[in-house]
Amino acid sequence: MFNEPAKKFYPVFELGKVYYISKGSLRIANKQFKTVQNDYEMTLNENAVVEEAEGESFIPPVQYNFVKIDMLGPYVGGRELVDIIGVVQSVSPTLSIRRKIDNESIPKRDIVVADDSNKTVTISLWNDLATTVGEELLDMVDSAPIIAVKSLKVSDFQGVSVSTVGKSTLVINPELPETEKLRAWYESEGKGTALASVGAGMGASNAGGLRSMYSDRVFLSHITSDPNLGQDKPVFFSLYANISNIKPDQTMWYRACTTCNKKVTEALGSGFWCEGCQKNYEQCSLRYIMVIKVSDPTGEAWLSLFNDQAERIVGCSADELDRIRKEEGDDMFQLKLKEATWIPHLFRVSVVQNEYMGEKRQRITVRSESPVDYAAEARYQLEEIAKLTSS
């Protein structure tokens, strides 16, 4: 739903209720942006009909796709939202965070959860979740409740952390098989085990974690030679590759909201309109969304990059690169891009199949990036050689 239909139907829908929906338009889901495992998506315009199903008793349960805390690294900085189930270890008081853009105060609360990977992570609850269910968790934290949280954004703050977004939901002590399993683990061993933060020792440059950068290592040909990779769900690999080309004539960035980072459009009159915030802002920022060509001994491939990884590779923000092009000329702009080529990097990537104009295409997206630690790389290579010689 967009614009007027969104305003019309937003008050109608309530979580946990059942509805009859008709006169919507159906199309194949864009897998690049989907957040649930659906093959189709429906759009409602102002002529759509939404009616509550009075007396309907069957309500399908929420479908979760839980990610273990120690496996959050590959999702850092990506668009994909994750679901987490964990035992609550601590709950902070409500904090008031003031946004720079409009000086508005937003409630925030941090909770720390653990799971049977023996790792903990901080979940930041925002807005209503911080003041309602967050207050409830504060009252019952001593009983170590288990929470299931759907649709969390993974960032590299403090190495690895997660936070709620507008669509996030949180359930306390859900009736799930995973809850029973997690409770049994916590009572038998988790309660007395020293649990480490998943972000400990990880900086922004290696938020994917050394383990993820050196596990599932493949050559580019392993990905490009198999057109069926990622057909059912994203698959993850690690790469050691050189950046061979950054096309200067590609679309490298988009205008983004300075509050939520979503794309903005020029507003009528002046300023920029953010659909996500439903507000008009005087200023916006540029955020990278670009592709780079990488090479290794077996071939080459195009990788999609998002803002955080692109900033580290190019060496400056999108706003700064745009300034260089406008004020210092096209030659300096291209030189800046050329300086980033033929440098080796470690990449953690996801591979999915996208459908465009009825044709399936392979999309390789960088989830995390790290400069090569040659000492660590040498140890890895020696271990691989040892495996070959022992067999």
Side-chain angles (χ1 to χ4, degrees), residues 73 75-79 153-161 203-208 252-254 256 261 285-290 292 304-318 345-347 365-371:
Y75 295 89
V76 168
R79 290 187 176 184
K153 181 177 177 59
V154 188
S155 71
D156 59 8
F157 180 68
Q158 295 179 340
V160 177
S161 63
S205 63
N206 65 342
M252 290 191 182
W253 47 67
Y254 66 95
N261 293 329
S285 62
L286 299 181
R287 288 180 67 83
Y288 285 113
I289 179 168
M290 58 190 292
I292 60 172
S304 297
L305 279 179
F306 295 116
N307 188 69
D308 294 346
Q309 294 83 20
E311 279 190 351
R312 293 195 288 272
I313 287 171
V314 177
C316 66
S317 67
H345 293 262
L346 299 180
F347 298 104
T365 303
V366 176
R367 296 301 182 183
S368 54
E369 168 278 334
S370 175

Side-chain angles (χ1 to χ4, degrees), residues 119 156 158-160 196-211:
K119 294 292 185 180
D156 59 8
Q158 295 179 340
V160 177
S197 167
V198 67
M202 295 185 191
S205 63
N206 65 342
L210 289 179
R211 177 185 172 192

Side-chain angles (χ1 to χ4, degrees), residues 25-224:
S25 60
L26 199 65
R27 63 183 179 183
I28 295 175
N30 186 334
K31 296 183 184 295
Q32 181 180 352
F33 300 107
K34 75 173 191 174
T35 56
V36 294
Q37 297 303 311
N38 58 302
D39 294 323
Y40 302 93
E41 60 189 22
M42 182 182 290
T43 301
L44 304 186
N45 59 29
E46 290 187 71
N47 296 322
V49 178
V50 178
E51 297 175 328
E52 184 179 346
E54 297 286 351
E56 182 65 56
S57 59
F58 173 71
I59 300 178
V62 175
Q63 298 295 314
Y64 293 97
N65 185 20
F66 292 121
V67 175
K68 292 286 187 183
I69 292 175
D70 68 341
M71 295 303 295
L72 289 173
Y75 295 89
V76 168
R79 290 187 176 184
E80 190 172 357
L81 302 178
V82 303
D83 305 338
I84 288 178
I85 187 169
V87 184
V88 176
Q89 303 290 283
S90 65
V91 181
S92 79
T94 302
L95 306 173
S96 183
I97 306 300
R98 191 173 296 277
R99 289 195 303 206
K100 293 181 180 179
I101 188 67
D102 56 7
N103 213 30
E104 182 180 344
S105 294
I106 304 173
K108 176 193 176 188
R109 190 191 301 267
D110 289 337
I111 61 175
V112 177
V113 300
D115 69 8
D116 51 7
S117 66
N118 290 337
K119 294 292 185 180
T120 66
V121 69
T122 299
I123 302 176
S124 295
L125 307 181
W126 293 90
N127 297 312
D128 290 345
L129 284 177
T131 55
T132 55
V133 72
E135 190 67 27
E136 188 177 349
L137 285 171
L138 183 62
D139 293 336
M140 59 190 304
V141 64
D142 292 340
S143 65
I146 292 175
I147 61 171
V149 194
K150 187 166 187 64
S151 300
L152 288 165
K153 181 177 177 59
V154 188
S155 71
D156 59 8
F157 180 68
Q158 295 179 340
V160 177
S161 63
V162 294
S163 60
T164 60
V165 296
K167 64 170 67 177
S168 302
T169 60
L170 189 156
V171 180
I172 301 174
N173 294 324
E175 295 183 3
L176 297 169
E178 292 88 349
T179 304
E180 301 302 321
K181 180 182 176 183
L182 204 54
R183 175 63 64 196
W185 163 80
Y186 188 71
E187 294 297 335
S188 63
E189 55 179 292
K191 190 186 299 185
T193 302
L195 304 172
S197 167
V198 67
M202 295 185 191
S205 63
N206 65 342
L210 289 179
R211 177 185 172 192
S212 66
M213 289 297 187
Y214 288 93
S215 62
D216 312 314
R217 174 75 72 84
V218 298
F219 286 111
L220 284 169
S221 60
H222 177 83
I223 299 175
T224 57

